[in-house]
């Protein structure tokens, strides 16, 4: 589509919750227009070059936990980063929260054909307590300085590794003393950044929430004791269920050396759906993320939405976790008047079957039909 062309989207445009209705009422419109890359609900006058696209329309999907610029060995080159971003785009994920990467991907911001990225800088981990070549590996007395550094490098987020296997203990264990975490989170907030943390274990969660953390990734260790704390303080979780599905394989690989850890990982996996549903029922904010870019491929956000539904979250809430709700949480617009036209068109109603998210009919990015 030429930049001067007008795009007419017809069908059912699912804008989001109806501000004037109940919690379950949706604002669904029959059409929208794209003029100069922006959304409008007013029919343009004297439009000569009009392209029409029909279907069910959602805001561009959000993968709120992925890693562009990273693979199993660490940072990747720009060509590989480009392929990762293109894979996300073609799957309809047009807004990515990059939850830690050692690669510099700022050049992506200059590409109109690639998704928008909100970066959390590089992971910050305890020395020898995370995947090699991924993170800054430091000690607690250095945590505040490194958080300040990544807060300035990122796009309003900082990523900590909250727990990992302790080889002496033979199981998951927290990485940071409470005082160090409190000081680091306070410093990030002073600099205008929010803080999230990789957490698998139960014992890691309450101290981080009480220290003021804003979000927890994976959150497999949530229990009936800690879920109310998350809900009370509005701490979000990004469950990454497509990643948690790999726990049995990880446990099998490490069972000989660390049987206690392997058993723990299996138990966390076995109750993953119950954990997520209990968090939802308690009112904990939940958003979609895939953890793509480490051991998992990109482009899995549709499968993650289906996993949330499998956990017992209603389809509309699961869609919100990947669209209008996630965009509001990240401070980015959806299908609002004047917003950039970042949207995905589907063959059928995604509320009836969220699996349609894995097969976009059209992807529109910055007002241009990409695929």
């Amino acid at each position: 589509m030429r930049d001067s062309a007008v795009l007419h989207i017809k069908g059912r445009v699912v804008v989001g919750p109806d501000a004037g209705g109940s919690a379950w009422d949706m604002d669904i419109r029959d059409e929208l227009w794209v003029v100069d890359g922006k959304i409008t609900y007013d029919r343009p006058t004297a439009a000569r070059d009009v392209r029409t696209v029909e279907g069910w329309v959602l805001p561009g999907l959000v993968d709120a936990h992925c890693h562009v610029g990273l693979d199993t060995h660490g940072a990747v080159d720009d060509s590989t980063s480009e392929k990762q971003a293109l894979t996300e785009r073609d799957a309809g994920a047009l807004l990515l929260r990059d939850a830690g990467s050692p690669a510099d991907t700022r050049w992506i911001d200059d590409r109109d054909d690639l998704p928008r990225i909100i970066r959390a800088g590089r992971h910050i981990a305890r020395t020898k307590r995370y995947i090699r070549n991924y993170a800054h590996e430091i000690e607690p007395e250095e945590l505040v300085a490194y958080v300040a550094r990544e807060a300035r490098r990122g796009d309003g987020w900082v990523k900590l590794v909250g727990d990992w296997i302790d080889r002496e203990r033979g199981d998951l264990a927290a990485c940071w003393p409470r005082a160090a975490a409190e000081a680091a989170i306070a410093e990030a907030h002073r600099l205008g950044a929010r803080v999230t943390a990789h957490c698998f274990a139960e014992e890691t969660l309450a101290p981080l929430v009480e220290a003021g953390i804003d979000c927890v990734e994976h959150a497999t260790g949530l229990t009936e004791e800690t879920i109310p704390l998350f809900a009370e303080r509005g701490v979000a979780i990004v469950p990454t269920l497509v990643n948690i599905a790999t726990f049995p394989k990880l446990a099998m690989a490490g069972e000989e050396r660390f049987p206690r850890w392997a058993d723990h990982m299996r138990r966390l996996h076995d109750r993953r759906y119950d954990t997520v549903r209990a968090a939802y029922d308690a009112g904990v904010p939940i958003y979609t993320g895939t953890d793509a870019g480490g051991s998992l491929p990109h482009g899995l956000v549709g499968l993650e939405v289906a996993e949330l539904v499998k956990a017992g979250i209603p389809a509309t809430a699961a869609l919100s976790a990947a669209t209008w709700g996630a965009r509001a949480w990240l401070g980015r617009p959806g299908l609002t008047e004047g917003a950039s036209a970042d949207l995905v068109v589907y063959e059928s109603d995604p509320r009836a079957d969220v699996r349609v998210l894995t097969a976009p009919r059209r992807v529109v990015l910055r007002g241009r039909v990409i695929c």
Side-chain angles (χ1 to χ4, degrees), residues 27 31 43 45-47 52 95 105 113 115 127 137 139 157 161-162 199 228 239 245 261 284 304 312 316 319 339 359:
D27 179 2
E31 61 184 356
R43 181 186 295 270
T45 59
T52 300
L95 179 61
T105 61
D113 62 330
T127 307
E137 297 190 20
E139 289 304 297
W157 284 90
V161 176
C199 296
W261 169 83
V284 176
E304 181 65 17
T316 301
L319 289 171

Side-chain angles (χ1 to χ4, degrees), residues 73-284:
H73 304 291
V76 299
D77 59 22
D78 288 354
S79 175
T80 303
S81 296
E82 179 187 42
K83 291 176 183 176
Q84 293 174 338
L86 287 170
T87 300
E88 293 284 359
R89 182 202 71 183
D90 293 349
L94 306 184
L95 179 61
L96 314 177
R97 187 182 60 148
D98 194 313
S101 177
D104 181 359
T105 61
R106 287 287 175 189
W107 59 271
I108 290 176
D109 295 345
D110 298 325
R111 291 274 298 269
D112 288 342
D113 62 330
L114 296 179
R116 303 172 194 274
I117 301 183
I118 298 171
R119 297 170 183 82
R122 189 173 185 176
H123 304 77
I124 303 173
R126 192 74 178 266
T127 307
K128 296 183 179 180
R129 292 284 303 280
Y130 200 50
I131 303 167
R132 183 179 298 179
N133 299 325
Y134 275 32
H136 296 299
E137 297 190 20
I138 63 169
E139 289 304 297
E141 59 270 18
E142 303 173 279
L143 185 57
V144 170
Y146 272 83
V147 163
R149 171 179 169 175
E150 296 309 304
R152 294 186 178 100
R153 289 183 64 241
D155 299 315
W157 284 90
V158 175
K159 169 73 174 295
L160 306 180
V161 176
D163 58 41
W164 196 250
I165 188 169
D166 182 325
R167 288 168 175 78
E168 292 184 2
R169 181 177 175 180
D171 198 1
L172 297 169
C175 293
W176 310 107
R178 168 87 172 254
E182 286 179 346
I185 292 169
E187 178 67 1
H189 289 169
R190 185 184 73 81
L191 294 170
R194 288 185 278 183
V195 182
T196 192
H198 161 108
C199 296
F200 288 159
E202 294 85 352
E203 66 185 50
T204 315
L205 298 177
L208 286 175
V209 173
E210 291 166 354
I213 204 161
D214 303 283
C215 179
V216 169
E217 312 300 311
H218 317 301
T220 48
L222 280 170
T223 65
E224 61 183 12
E225 288 77 27
T226 51
I227 285 173
L229 183 62
F230 274 66
E232 175 188 343
R233 305 206 179 191
V235 177
I237 65 170
V238 182
T240 67
L241 287 168
V242 293
N243 176 49
I244 306 311
T246 68
F247 276 17
K249 182 178 178 180
L250 296 175
M252 182 179 297
E255 187 165 26
E256 184 174 348
R257 290 186 63 195
F258 303 112
R260 182 179 173 189
W261 169 83
D263 178 65
H264 194 174
M265 295 291 279
R266 288 191 182 99
R267 285 185 281 110
L268 293 172
H269 172 267
D270 288 346
R271 62 181 176 88
R272 67 197 186 282
Y273 293 136
D274 291 340
T275 299
V276 171
R277 178 56 196 252
Y280 171 79
D281 287 343
V284 176

Side-chain angles (χ1 to χ4, degrees), residues 19-51:
S22 71
W24 297 106
D25 289 336
M26 302 299 294
D27 179 2
I28 300 178
R29 308 187 191 184
D30 294 329
E31 61 184 356
L32 64 77
W33 301 81
V34 178
V35 181
D36 295 328
K38 305 295 184 182
I39 291 171
T40 181
Y41 291 95
D42 298 323
R43 181 186 295 270
T45 59
R48 297 181 179 178
D49 188 2
V50 178
R51 177 177 178 181

